[in-house]
């Protein structure tokens, strides 16, 4: 039972990495920034004490693949369907009651934008901005959005953000969503969401 109130530790290539949350169905940890692209080993240990000297249980070793970029966006649900979380500068979120319009400045949250310049201590909240080395591109209904910032979210380790200006676009008659096509051209990764829009 990984949800017990005990100390846990993730081992990445046999080195301990920061663990932030553990439950029966989820474990949150931050991989080292210097980790190379390719295969790596990972296993989790559950300990009875904070010195990690009394091992209570451990997972099997398993292999994970690291890529330069592996975008996974924060989503909300709308009637059970996943919807991209698009946040306005005032803290509100885009939705049917408040669709995006050209000129809006919005933030998208994600993990997996990869290495940054400058780097910062592993597992620490950056405390400042650090731009992603592999910069994303966002097309809204085919038109390029101006990217104001793409990199780490300063307050939370492991979280990234993309801040952009929604470009001018026109929607076909009857369409109430705009396609946000988000890609990182340097690594050929792409994802598309439909966002409530006028």
């Amino acid at each position: 039972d990984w949800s017990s109130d005990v100390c846990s530790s993730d081992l990445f290539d046999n080195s301990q990495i920061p663990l932030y949350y553990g439950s029966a169905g989820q474990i949150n940890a931050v991989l080292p920034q210097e980790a190379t692209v390719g295969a790596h080993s990972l296993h989790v240990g559950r300990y009875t004490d904070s010195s990690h000297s009394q091992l209570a249980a451990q997972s099997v070793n398993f292999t994970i693949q690291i890529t330069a970029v592996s975008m996974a966006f924060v989503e909300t649900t709308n009637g059970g369907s996943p919807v991209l979380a698009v946040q306005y500068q005032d803290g509100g979120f885009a939705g049917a009651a408040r669709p995006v319009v050209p000129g809006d400045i919005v933030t998208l949250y994600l993990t997996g934008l990869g290495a940054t310049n400058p780097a910062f201590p592993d597992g620490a909240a950056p405390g400042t901005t650090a731009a992603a080395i592999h910069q994303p591109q966002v097309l809204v209904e085919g038109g390029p959005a101006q990217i104001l910032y793409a990199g780490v979210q300063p307050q939370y380790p492991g979280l990234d953000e993309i801040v952009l200006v929604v470009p001018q676009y026109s929607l076909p008659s009857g369409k109430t969503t705009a396609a946000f096509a988000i890609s990182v051209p340097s690594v050929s990764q792409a994802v598309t969401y439909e966002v409530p829009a006028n």
Side-chain angles (χ1 to χ4, degrees):
D1 178 11
W2 297 95
S3 61
S4 300
D5 188 20
V6 294
C7 299
S8 296
S9 174
D10 279 8
L11 291 180
F12 176 82
D13 290 344
N14 294 317
S15 295
Q16 192 169 353
I17 60 174
L19 177 68
Y20 291 96
Y21 174 79
S23 72
Q26 178 178 330
I27 294 175
N28 293 357
V30 177
L31 297 178
Q33 294 180 75
E34 68 274 6
T36 56
V37 170
H40 296 268
S41 68
L42 182 69
H43 74 272
V44 180
R46 182 170 155 262
Y47 296 83
T48 59
D49 63 323
S50 60
S51 66
H52 297 111
S53 61
Q54 296 293 320
L55 182 65
Q58 69 178 6
S59 71
V60 298
N61 285 330
F62 55 96
T63 300
I64 62 171
Q65 292 289 331
I66 292 185
T67 58
V69 173
S70 184
M71 295 186 296
F73 284 86
V74 174
E75 300 174 343
T76 61
T77 56
N78 182 13
S81 300
V83 177
L84 180 66
V86 178
Q87 188 174 38
Y88 295 106
Q89 289 184 298
D90 65 7
F93 286 87
R98 191 177 177 190
V100 298
V101 296
D104 282 342
I105 298 175
V106 297
T107 301
L108 314 178
Y109 297 100
L110 69 155
T111 60
L113 264 182
T116 62
N117 185 15
F120 49 90
D122 283 335
T128 186
T129 57
I133 291 172
H134 297 281
Q135 283 290 295
Q137 165 185 288
V138 179
L139 302 178
V140 179
E141 286 295 305
Q146 178 187 0
I147 305 295
L148 302 178
Y149 172 71
V152 297
Q153 201 287 338
Q155 296 171 297
Y156 301 101
L159 185 63
D160 300 315
E161 65 183 16
I162 301 171
V163 183
L164 61 94
V165 180
V166 178
Q168 292 295 321
Y169 60 83
S170 59
L171 295 176
S173 178
K175 190 172 188 230
T176 59
T177 60
F180 275 54
I182 309 153
S183 64
V184 180
S186 61
V187 296
S188 301
Q189 191 187 47
V191 63
T192 299
Y193 286 92
E194 292 289 335
V195 176
N198 277 344

